[in-house]
Amino acid sequence: MRAGPRLGVLAGTYLLLITLGGVASVVLLTTWDTAATRRRTMLIEAEQLARLQTAYLEQETAVRGFVITGQAAFLEPWESGTRDAERLRSLLRLPAEHDDRLAAAWVAVDSAADEWRQVATAVVETRQHADVTGTAPGIDARIDDGKRLFDVLRGRFDAFAGAVAREVATADAATRRAQRLSIGVVAGVFAAALAVTVLSGYLIRRWLTQPLAAIVRSTRELRDGQPAVFPSGGLPDIREVVTAVDGMQRAISEQRDVAIRSREAMEQSAVLAVQLRSELAHELGSYPSGWTVAAGLVPATGVVAGDSYDVSLINVHTMGIIMLDIAGHGAPAAIAALRCKEILKAGLRSGMEPGATLNFLMASDHGLEDSFLTAVVALLDTDTGLCRYASAGHPPPMIIPHNGEPIALPPTGPLLGPIPATWKTETVHVPNESKFVIYTDGLIEARNVDHAFFGERGIIDVVAETSCETTHAVVKNLLERVLEFNEGRVADDVTIIVACRLDESEDYEP
């Protein structure tokens, strides 16, 4: 049986034990509370019964004193005792009516009290109308009846008090029995839970902990480069883990051999990679008077990137700028970037507008397969500053004046990939003492240790306050700041082009 079902059985047993113990505890505690409530009720009734009997004794004593002396002062205990008796009778009647064993005894007490009360009232009234000597017709007979009925009442009180005492004893015994059972069940559940816990710990150690510890020791040997021997046997789950780790050991050995062969091949192809990188980052030449241009590329990994750019003169007065960013890094992405750059460059040299060159690339054998790229293609009139551009989902280029708010140039179409699309050409003007800045998302999405982005503001802060004569220094400073911002290593390729128009060039007049 696998570890899951076994652990499930242990957990189910534990849960069943706790559930049954909890239910039994609740039932017994409820019984205990009921018995204790019953006992408390009987004790209260016994106390009220004793107070009622005292009230009747006070009334009987007051009647005798009034008959003998005729003094009205004896009627006050008679009247107060009557009030107390009525109140206590109302309190005792309700519990007795709901208890079959006490009801009959209480009815006998209640009826005897009514009979005696009637005779005692008659004796008091007769004595009140007696002459000065205290004699009245029939008073002696009524006094004798009162004594007889009060003796009956006293006997029935004793019988009812005995019944209440027996109920108190029964309730007390039931309370103690429920208390013992409740404590016993709780203790039993605790002992059983402790036993199941100890047993579960032993079984888990035997089934899982010890085999896993052996696997960890063997894995550490494997990490240290030593041949590892993994334990055999145990649960099916453990055997599967052992089989998987042993397979990993063989795979690591095979991959180590492949890595050695790959390193040897990389050493042989390093010169080719350096040449490919130089083609991706075009060497800038001389440009017409009134313009300075600088660019830079920092790959994320290795020596080749998925970014590429080109800045060249299409004719005497027109500068062509290309920047693209292909998803991915390494040699395949770099080769695809180089091919796409050459197609776009050929389109510009054949007289196409920037948007048309992107459409031309879409229809060409670009080698992207299922990948995507973003790109910016621009034609800059070096005399007037007029700029015709097209952007395929690329981060917006910016025109940053020396004094003024930067202008972002939005995309003129979606990013380029396996989904058919078209792109249009837009026209903007680059004023004197302004910088035309194109960059890839690796620059603005660089993050520091606080996960804050370098962002467009990072570019603007570096570029805005510099002169056109320091364009190369600005690009170098910007790339150094990004590397410092990202602690020396960028997560994505970083590329930037800055074309700055000097104040001496002719301005554009629409």
Side-chain angles (χ1 to χ4, degrees):
M1 182 184 294
R2 291 181 175 271
R6 295 189 184 193
L7 294 177
V9 170
L10 288 178
T13 302
Y14 193 84
L15 182 61
L16 179 63
L17 176 65
I18 295 300
T19 302
L20 293 178
V23 171
S25 299
V26 170
V27 171
L28 289 174
L29 288 173
T30 302
T31 304
W32 183 5
D33 181 70
T34 302
T37 302
R38 173 71 177 171
R39 178 177 177 275
R40 187 165 52 252
T41 301
M42 289 298 101
L43 289 174
I44 292 173
E45 288 196 15
E47 179 185 359
Q48 292 173 344
L49 181 64
R51 293 169 62 186
L52 177 62
Q53 191 170 10
T54 301
Y56 280 127
L57 286 172
E58 290 177 354
Q59 293 179 61
E60 198 271 342
T61 302
V63 170
R64 287 186 182 183
F66 180 68
V67 169
I68 294 172
T69 64
Q71 296 180 5
F74 284 95
L75 293 181
E76 194 280 327
W78 161 261
E79 294 173 355
S80 62
T82 300
R83 290 192 298 271
D84 291 342
E86 290 300 320
R87 180 176 57 82
L88 292 170
R89 286 174 67 185
S90 66
L91 294 176
L92 276 168
R93 183 177 294 112
L94 290 176
E97 289 176 351
H98 295 283
D99 193 321
D100 294 338
R101 288 174 294 182
L102 298 178
W106 170 250
V107 169
V109 170
D110 210 24
S111 60
D114 288 339
E115 292 177 4
W116 173 79
R117 177 70 183 177
Q118 291 176 1
V119 173
T121 301
V123 169
V124 170
E125 293 176 349
T126 303
R127 181 65 180 88
Q128 287 175 333
H129 296 89
D131 55 20
V132 178
T133 62
T135 58
I139 191 171
D140 294 334
R142 290 180 178 177
I143 290 174
D144 292 338
D145 287 342
K147 291 179 180 179
R148 178 180 57 80
L149 290 175
F150 192 80
D151 290 338
V152 172
L153 175 60
R154 182 183 289 112
R156 293 183 180 179
F157 256 117
D158 293 340
F160 184 65
V164 171
R166 287 190 296 273
E167 287 297 323
V168 170
T170 301
D172 191 54
T175 301
R176 289 194 298 271
R177 183 170 58 254
Q179 181 183 18
R180 288 194 299 271
L181 287 174
S182 299
I183 295 174
V185 167
V186 171
V189 170
F190 178 78
L194 181 61
V196 172
T197 302
V198 173
L199 177 62
S200 300
Y202 168 75
L203 293 177
I204 290 173
R205 177 178 174 83
R206 179 179 176 183
W207 293 341
L208 296 176
T209 306
Q210 292 178 341
L212 289 176
I215 293 174
V216 169
R217 288 193 298 270
S218 299
T219 305
R220 288 174 178 169
E221 294 175 355
L222 176 61
R223 180 197 61 188
D224 297 336
Q226 303 174 6
V229 179
F230 292 93
S232 59
L235 294 174
D237 308 74
I238 299 298
R239 291 199 298 272
E240 289 181 3
V241 172
V242 169
T243 301
V245 176
D246 192 49
M248 182 184 67
Q249 178 178 215
R250 292 193 297 271
I252 289 173
S253 178
E254 295 173 358
Q255 290 174 4
R256 182 173 58 245
D257 296 338
V258 171
I260 293 173
R261 292 193 296 270
S262 299
R263 186 195 55 172
E264 294 172 350
M266 180 64 71
E267 291 173 351
Q268 296 172 2
S269 61
V271 175
L272 177 61
V274 171
Q275 292 176 346
L276 180 58
R277 178 177 177 180
S278 68
E279 290 296 327
L280 293 172
H282 178 73
E283 292 293 334
L284 302 181
S286 300
Y287 295 96
S289 175
W291 289 84
T292 60
V293 181
L297 188 155
V298 178
T301 57
V303 294
V304 292
D307 287 4
S308 180
Y309 68 87
D310 184 275
V311 182
S312 58
L313 288 176
I314 305 301
N315 55 50
V316 178
H317 304 291
T318 304
M319 185 189 309
I321 300 177
I322 298 171
M323 180 179 289
L324 54 86
D325 179 4
I326 290 182
H329 311 285
I335 292 171
L338 181 59
R339 178 182 298 179
C340 293
K341 184 184 76 169
E342 293 302 322
I343 293 173
L344 293 172
K345 189 174 179 180
L348 289 180
R349 290 189 178 279
S350 66
M352 292 183 183
E353 290 293 311
T357 62
L358 291 173
N359 295 328
F360 176 60
L361 175 60
M362 182 69 188
S364 302
D365 182 15
H366 44 59
L368 292 175
E369 297 180 352
D370 294 331
S371 296
F372 291 86
L373 70 78
T374 66
V376 172
V377 181
L379 291 173
L380 264 173
D381 189 319
T382 58
D383 289 336
T384 64
L386 188 66
C387 175
R388 306 191 303 278
Y389 82 96
S391 174
H394 200 81
M398 291 188 290
I399 297 175
I400 304 177
H402 181 65
N403 292 306
E405 290 296 324
I407 301 172
L409 308 181
T412 63
L415 49 77
L416 194 146
I419 302 174
T422 59
W423 293 265
K424 62 181 180 178
T425 300
E426 295 289 350
T427 302
V428 294
H429 179 242
V430 181
N432 289 331
E433 286 297 316
S434 297
K435 291 93 173 175
F436 182 50
V437 182
I438 308 174
Y439 54 90
T440 57
D441 56 3
L443 177 58
I444 59 175
E445 293 179 0
R447 293 192 182 193
N448 61 11
V449 293
D450 297 325
H451 302 286
F453 289 108
F454 189 78
E456 291 88 349
R457 177 47 57 184
I459 301 174
I460 295 169
D461 290 343
V462 176
V463 175
E465 297 301 325
T466 58
S467 64
C468 289
E469 288 79 4
T470 59
T471 302
H472 291 277
V474 168
V475 170
K476 181 176 180 295
N477 183 29
L478 188 58
L479 295 178
E480 289 176 352
R481 285 202 186 184
V482 170
L483 290 175
E484 181 182 352
F485 187 81
N486 211 52
E487 295 190 333
R489 184 180 180 87
V490 290
D492 194 7
D493 304 327
V494 173
T495 307
I496 184 169
I497 298 173
V498 178
C500 187
R501 187 183 182 198
L502 299 171
D503 192 22
E504 61 187 33
S505 55
E506 177 185 353
D507 205 356
Y508 168 72
E509 293 182 3

